[in-house]
Amino acid sequence: MSLIRRRKQNETSRPTRSDPSSIDKEDDNKKKIPAKDQNAEEIALKKLRKWSCIDSCCWLIGSICVTWWFLLFLYNAIPASFNQYVTEAITGPVPDPPGVKLKKEGLTVKHPVVFVPGIVTGGLELWEGHQCAEGLFRKRLWGGTFGEVYKRPLCWVEHMSLDNETGLDPSGIRVRPVSGLVAADYFAPGYFVWAVLIANLARIGYEEKTMSMAAYDWRISFQNTEVRDQTLSRIKSNIELMVATNGGNKAVIIPHSMGVLYFLHFMKWVEAPAPMGGGGGPDWCAKHIKTVMNIGGPFLGVPKAVGGLFSAEAKDIAVIRATAPGFLDNDIFRLQTLQHVMRMTRTWDSTMSMLPKGGDTIWGGLDWSPEEGYTPSKRKQRNNDTQIANEDESEVVASQRKHVNFGRIISFGKDIAEAPSSQIDMIDFRGAVKGNSVANNTCRDVWTEYHEMGYEGIKAVAEYKAYTAESILDLLHFVAPKLMARGSAHFSYGIADNLDDPKYRHYKYWSNPLETTLPNAPDMEIFSMYGVGIPTERAYVYKLTPSADCYIPFQIDTSADDDDTPLKDGVYAVDGDETVPVLSAGFMCAKGWRGKTRFNPSGIRTYLREYEHSPPANLLEGRGTQSGAHVDIMGNFQLIEDIIRVAAGARGEDLGGDQVHSDIFKMSEKINLQL
């Protein structure tokens, strides 16, 4: 009771707003506060009430984070089969993965399998580096998250580059390939390369003792992988061990992209006598290899490699460069992007293995090309047995409304790309005088051989106007002499006149199918497996860029378009898998090696397996199970099924022989090559 009485007394003694005397007292107190303090108090209150831009950003970031974590929680909370359930609700029942399907048919492990990755898809890790790379020992510099590209870009470029004189390790730096299946199962988190194929092989019983990854440093020349790392010897020993421990069953080799050329080199190296070769003897391949199943093989090179070495561009880069002028050329955080990309990639000798081979005989001249007059339209599948009989019924017809000079791989200007060769005034660049443009004091540490050419040299290149496969080599010798000096010692791009000539025993010819022979292994089979139905880079329209000392002076002219021809954003496209044109991927198995030829003296059976591209039906399908794209095809269910059947014992005839959708046979007939 005393507490209640005390509370009532306090309440009655407290002044209220209705009490005039209390209001007066409050006003008196306010009057006692100095005006300066009152203003400060009002300003503080206004600041509290004001909503700043920083507040908005913080709220936005917070909202995104909360939403992200909520969605991540939901993703982990829902059943693993939810994606499949939603997909089936939209598109109907999803077919079993190839491994599940073929396991139900009773297929099991028979032949050991060896994967040979291509360029850029294999992981590289640091074993020794400079001070800027402290803490990165055995961390991935290539592949994985690519975190170091953002944290210390110039340091990353320095360690990913090779010595510009030797093509090997720079002083104090050792970057080596990651070993095991993890070397190339995923290129980056969530982006598969070999992972889907590995998982499906595992479903019929494969494991690491029956399949392996022939990882190598894809930056250096093929022969130098043996000189520096003894990689070719390791592949030889590994195949021998796998064959010996699997009941003598021969190996199935599955190369992808540049790995196709690397394994072509290996097959010559392994049988060649030491010290240049592996000393395995002339029958090593016949004893150890059942089948070589090449995926997306650039047997005759790719025009895309020309654009990469000439201006550090491909179609996508050129579009970005046009959309945001100067962005990729400017000094951003001391990283002039394209210049550093060129500086780095021009030390990678392996890129030269993919320059076009066979010259104008294969790729066409100023006024003709094997693809001339044909555009993809409604296609009709056919096999080899019916190909000749049905050629007149082909659904791929001469439908272009305008002549296209695909043989001009580089043209300076759309008018040059379209003009008859007789109207082009070509001024030879080979004798042009080079010289530094200005003192190289503004480029910081950006190295570019274009700086050494000077304005006169750059102008001379543009005045030649049009370049075919043969003159491209002279062009690259002129603009990148250090690169091509190394490349000429390791690669060749011609056509052999006489394969019995002793000079072709040198390793520089071993990765060119037009200057070497297949092994003496009549029971072996070779597949060429690739996607079709996607526009693929074939030729480029270039222009000179504004003169600046550190800029790359040549640029794909993305303003060049033509509705009557396959010219878009300065790039002429043909049929292929988005990277490798059909001509390069298919010619050797369609004609060069078909039957007993001088390139295939033992008559190894060859097969073409083309996979028509079909984009994913919905987002839940990811990169698609029917994709024909250069890397995404590794998840193509039909391709995976073909591989598993061969690994389990099938031969090419069991798969139905050739599976052809493109016009590769017609293109091959237009090439006048002595066989």
Side-chain angles (χ1 to χ4, degrees), residues 333-577:
F333 304 115
R334 296 201 66 211
L335 178 61
Q336 288 166 298
T337 312
L338 280 183
Q339 287 85 334
H340 279 285
V341 168
M342 176 175 283
R343 169 194 170 192
M344 178 174 66
T345 56
R346 281 195 180 180
T347 67
W348 297 349
D349 289 355
S350 64
T351 57
M352 288 177 285
S353 71
M354 294 186 293
L355 290 174
K357 301 176 178 67
D360 295 358
T361 301
I362 298 293
W363 293 93
L366 291 173
D367 295 313
W368 82 278
S369 68
E371 301 98 333
E372 180 184 349
Y374 295 95
T375 53
S377 61
K378 184 179 178 182
R379 293 194 175 110
K380 181 177 180 180
Q381 181 175 326
R382 55 190 183 274
N383 57 40
N384 182 49
D385 298 330
T386 60
Q387 180 266 326
I388 296 174
N390 290 341
E391 263 191 357
D392 293 335
E393 302 173 10
S394 172
E395 297 294 333
V396 182
V397 295
S399 60
Q400 286 184 351
R401 290 167 282 173
K402 201 171 181 181
H403 179 77
V404 179
N405 301 303
F406 290 117
R408 303 177 192 180
I409 295 178
I410 287 180
S411 301
F412 276 89
K414 183 172 177 284
D415 55 334
I416 298 297
E418 297 174 348
S421 60
S422 59
Q423 297 178 11
I424 302 175
D425 184 18
M426 303 169 72
I427 302 174
D428 200 346
F429 62 90
R430 296 173 183 87
V433 177
K434 294 184 180 182
N436 288 355
S437 305
V438 292
N440 190 7
N441 55 12
T442 60
C443 292
R444 296 180 180 170
D445 55 352
V446 177
W447 165 85
T448 167
E449 287 175 310
Y450 284 127
H451 174 79
E452 299 171 4
M453 284 174 57
Y455 295 130
E456 291 303 315
I458 291 168
K459 182 181 176 184
V461 167
E463 287 181 345
Y464 191 74
K465 295 183 175 64
Y467 295 84
T468 63
E470 288 182 4
S471 53
I472 282 290
L473 297 175
D474 291 330
L475 170 66
L476 292 175
H477 272 286
F478 188 76
V479 302
K482 294 179 181 177
L483 173 80
M484 294 304 290
R486 297 192 314 272
S488 298
H490 288 273
F491 302 104
S492 182
Y493 310 100
I495 300 174
D497 294 325
N498 177 17
L499 285 164
D500 293 327
D501 190 324
K503 77 174 186 178
Y504 291 111
R505 297 172 191 166
H506 191 273
Y507 59 76
K508 68 181 285 185
Y509 301 102
W510 291 347
S511 61
N512 182 357
L514 301 174
E515 294 184 303
T516 190
T517 58
L518 291 176
N520 183 23
D523 293 332
M524 193 170 86
E525 294 183 329
I526 294 180
F527 286 77
S528 185
M529 314 169 78
Y530 53 91
V532 295
I534 308 177
T536 303
E537 296 172 42
R538 176 64 166 85
Y540 303 91
V541 176
Y542 268 86
K543 66 179 181 180
L544 280 172
T545 57
S547 297
D549 190 46
C550 295
Y551 275 33
I552 296 170
F554 307 114
Q555 180 176 332
I556 295 174
D557 186 1
T558 54
S559 66
D561 287 293
D562 194 332
D563 293 335
D564 292 337
T565 65
L567 173 63
K568 183 175 175 58
D569 297 325
V571 178
Y572 284 100
V574 292
D575 195 8
D577 68 0

Side-chain angles (χ1 to χ4, degrees), residues 15-17 19-33:
T16 62
R17 296 295 299 171
D19 183 4
S21 61
S22 65
I23 295 172
D24 293 340
K25 288 177 182 177
E26 286 181 11
D27 292 341
D28 291 340
N29 290 333
K30 282 184 180 179
K31 288 176 183 177
K32 292 177 183 177
I33 300 174

Side-chain angles (χ1 to χ4, degrees), residues 28-195:
D28 291 340
N29 290 333
K30 282 184 180 179
K31 288 176 183 177
K32 292 177 183 177
I33 300 174
K36 187 177 179 181
D37 292 342
Q38 285 184 16
N39 291 336
E41 188 178 340
E42 287 174 3
I43 291 169
L45 288 170
K46 285 181 181 179
K47 284 184 177 179
L48 287 172
R49 293 192 195 102
K50 188 176 180 181
W51 188 263
S52 69
C53 181
I54 295 175
D55 295 325
S56 300
C57 292
C58 290
W59 272 98
L60 178 62
I61 294 170
S63 300
I64 292 172
C65 290
V66 170
T67 305
W68 169 256
W69 286 111
F70 179 69
L71 292 174
L72 189 64
F73 169 77
L74 289 179
Y75 178 80
N76 288 304
I78 61 176
S81 60
F82 181 75
N83 284 352
Q84 182 178 347
Y85 172 79
V86 174
T87 303
E88 290 182 354
I90 297 172
T91 63
V94 176
D96 285 336
V100 174
K101 173 186 173 183
L102 298 180
K103 184 179 181 181
K104 291 177 181 178
E105 292 184 17
L107 271 64
T108 57
V109 177
K110 185 173 182 181
H111 297 277
V113 171
V114 178
F115 310 117
V116 186
I119 192 169
V120 311
T121 54
L124 300 174
E125 60 188 17
L126 183 70
W127 281 81
E128 181 184 2
H130 295 162
Q131 188 174 359
C132 67
E134 188 70 30
L136 296 181
F137 176 67
R138 294 200 63 203
K139 299 288 180 62
R140 288 202 183 197
L141 291 186
W142 188 270
T145 61
F146 286 92
E148 299 311 313
V149 179
Y150 312 109
K151 294 178 184 176
R152 29 191 159 183
L154 292 179
C155 182
W156 179 81
V157 167
E158 179 185 5
H159 285 75
M160 281 298 298
S161 300
L162 295 168
D163 186 276
N164 201 34
E165 301 293 335
T166 65
L168 294 170
D169 294 325
S171 177
I173 293 176
R174 281 185 296 149
V175 175
R176 297 292 182 264
V178 177
S179 59
L181 295 177
V182 296
D185 53 354
Y186 288 93
F187 176 63
Y191 190 88
F192 70 82
V193 182
W194 295 91

